């Protein structure tokens, strides 16, 4: 079974802090994704990566950056956390199937609260 | 960009009643996937549809992909309390990423 793990289930940070969220997958997937989930807004894509050191902006990249130095690890960075970044953050990974987007496997999520 | 609309946002049903959620895409899709998120959990893949007009069944769940590959539905027959959760559709348009609908939150009253 695919396993996607995230570094923390719950995180509390202060406004202005730099925040790192880590995601690791163990199935040699090429693609990795970061979403945030808010009530009534569904899953919104922040960034994704289709290869090591490659990244693409999603729908809401402002205030975030990412890093992928190794295939299995994808980090989300909040350069200066703000209260409107309080949310559930979900990481996902998938294989590259070529012609179409493949199944995504999600981690358990990190609930981030910014005070 | 591509948009995937999903309705209804919420649905409350009595146990034993049927339930349907609908997805519509602004563009033609190459595939559509359905995910279920239990309360407190993360989205888990249910099924993928690829062909125009495709219908797939998983026990009490029936998934359909429209002829034009722009809409899809999930129908649950005779809901049970174990069906509680949020159901998401996710459309693919030939790239790496999926565009998720906002989900339908299903509550089942025993």
């Amino acid at each position: 079974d695919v396993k996607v793990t995230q570094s923390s289930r719950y995180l509390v940070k202060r406004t202005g802090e730099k925040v790192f969220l880590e995601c690791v997958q163990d199935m040699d997937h090429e693609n990795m994704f970061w979403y945030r989930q808010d009530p009534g807004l569904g899953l919104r894509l922040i960034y994704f990566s289709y290869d090591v050191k490659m990244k693409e902006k999603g729908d809401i990249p402002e205030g975030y950056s990412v890093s992928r130095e190794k295939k299995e690890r994808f980090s989300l960075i909040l350069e200066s956390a703000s209260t409107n970044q309080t949310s559930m953050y979900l990481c996902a990974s998938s294989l590259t199937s070529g012609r179409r987007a493949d199944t995504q496997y999600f981690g358990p999520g990190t609930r981030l609260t910014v005070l | 960009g591509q948009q995937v609309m999903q309705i209804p946002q919420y649905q409350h049903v009595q146990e034993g009643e049927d339930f349907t959620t609908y997805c519509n895409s602004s563009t033609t899709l190459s595939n559509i996937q359905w995910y279920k998120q239990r309360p407190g959990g993360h989205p888990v893949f249910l099924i993928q549809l690829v062909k125009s007009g495709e219908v797939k069944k998983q026990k009490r769940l029936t998934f359909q992909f429209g002829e034009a590959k722009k809409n899809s539905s999930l129908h649950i027959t005779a809901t049970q309390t174990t069906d509680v959760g949020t159901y998401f559709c996710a459309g693919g348009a030939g790239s790496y990423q999926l565009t998720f609908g906002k989900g339908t939150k299903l509550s089942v009253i025993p």
Side-chain angles (χ1 to χ4, degrees):
Chain A
D1 276 353
V2 176
K3 191 168 184 183
V4 180
T5 57
Q6 296 183 228
S7 49
S8 306
R9 289 301 303 270
Y10 300 94
L11 207 53
V12 180
K13 295 291 181 181
R14 297 215 173 266
T15 301
E17 281 193 79
K18 192 168 186 175
V19 182
F20 293 87
L21 302 182
E22 300 279 325
C23 175
V24 178
Q25 51 93 4
D26 67 355
M27 285 301 292
D28 204 34
H29 284 176
E30 292 86 358
N31 308 316
M32 296 188 75
F33 307 83
W34 275 106
Y35 296 90
R36 65 176 282 177
Q37 183 174 26
D38 301 287
L41 297 179
L43 296 165
R44 292 183 292 167
L45 182 65
I46 304 171
Y47 268 97
F48 72 98
S49 168
Y50 53 89
D51 202 350
V52 175
K53 296 191 185 294
M54 305 303 288
K55 60 186 179 185
E56 293 278 345
K57 291 180 180 179
D59 300 318
I60 51 164
E62 296 79 17
Y64 303 94
S65 61
V66 290
S67 172
R68 194 166 180 202
E69 296 297 317
K70 293 186 177 181
K71 191 175 185 179
E72 68 271 19
R73 189 179 298 268
F74 193 34
S75 301
L76 180 69
I77 303 151
L78 286 66
E79 296 291 341
S80 177
S82 63
T83 54
N84 62 13
Q85 292 178 310
T86 291
S87 186
M88 171 67 83
Y89 290 87
L90 289 161
C91 174
S93 72
S94 73
L95 283 169
T96 293
S97 295
R99 289 185 297 146
R100 64 175 72 97
D102 209 336
T103 303
Q104 292 189 12
Y105 297 87
F106 285 83
T110 296
R111 185 165 293 283
L112 172 68
T113 302
V114 182
L115 302 175
Chain B
Q2 180 184 336
Q3 291 186 337
V4 175
M5 308 298 293
Q6 188 173 356
I7 58 168
Q9 190 173 357
Y10 302 96
Q11 185 81 58
H12 304 274
V13 300
Q14 203 76 32
E15 188 172 17
E17 290 182 341
D18 292 356
F19 159 77
T20 305
T21 173
Y22 300 91
C23 267
N24 281 288
S25 170
S26 56
T27 58
T28 302
L29 301 170
S30 56
N31 58 324
I32 193 155
Q33 298 177 8
W34 287 90
Y35 292 76
K36 178 182 179 180
Q37 184 175 24
R38 294 182 188 274
H42 57 274
V44 174
F45 173 78
L46 292 176
I47 209 161
Q48 174 170 271
L49 304 169
V50 175
K51 299 176 184 175
S52 169
E54 188 170 14
V55 178
K56 286 189 176 180
K57 292 191 176 185
Q58 287 180 349
K59 298 182 180 178
R60 293 178 295 104
L61 278 62
T62 302
F63 304 84
Q64 295 189 351
F65 201 9
E67 294 290 341
K69 300 183 74 173
K70 295 180 76 172
N71 62 313
S72 181
S73 65
L74 157 60
H75 179 82
I76 303 178
T77 303
T79 54
Q80 300 174 358
T81 54
T82 52
D83 295 324
V84 163
T86 301
Y87 292 85
F88 292 96
C89 62
S95 62
Y96 307 98
Q97 63 188 96
L98 295 166
T99 301
F100 283 82
K102 291 186 178 180
T104 296
K105 187 173 183 178
L106 173 64
S107 301
V108 179
I109 306 160

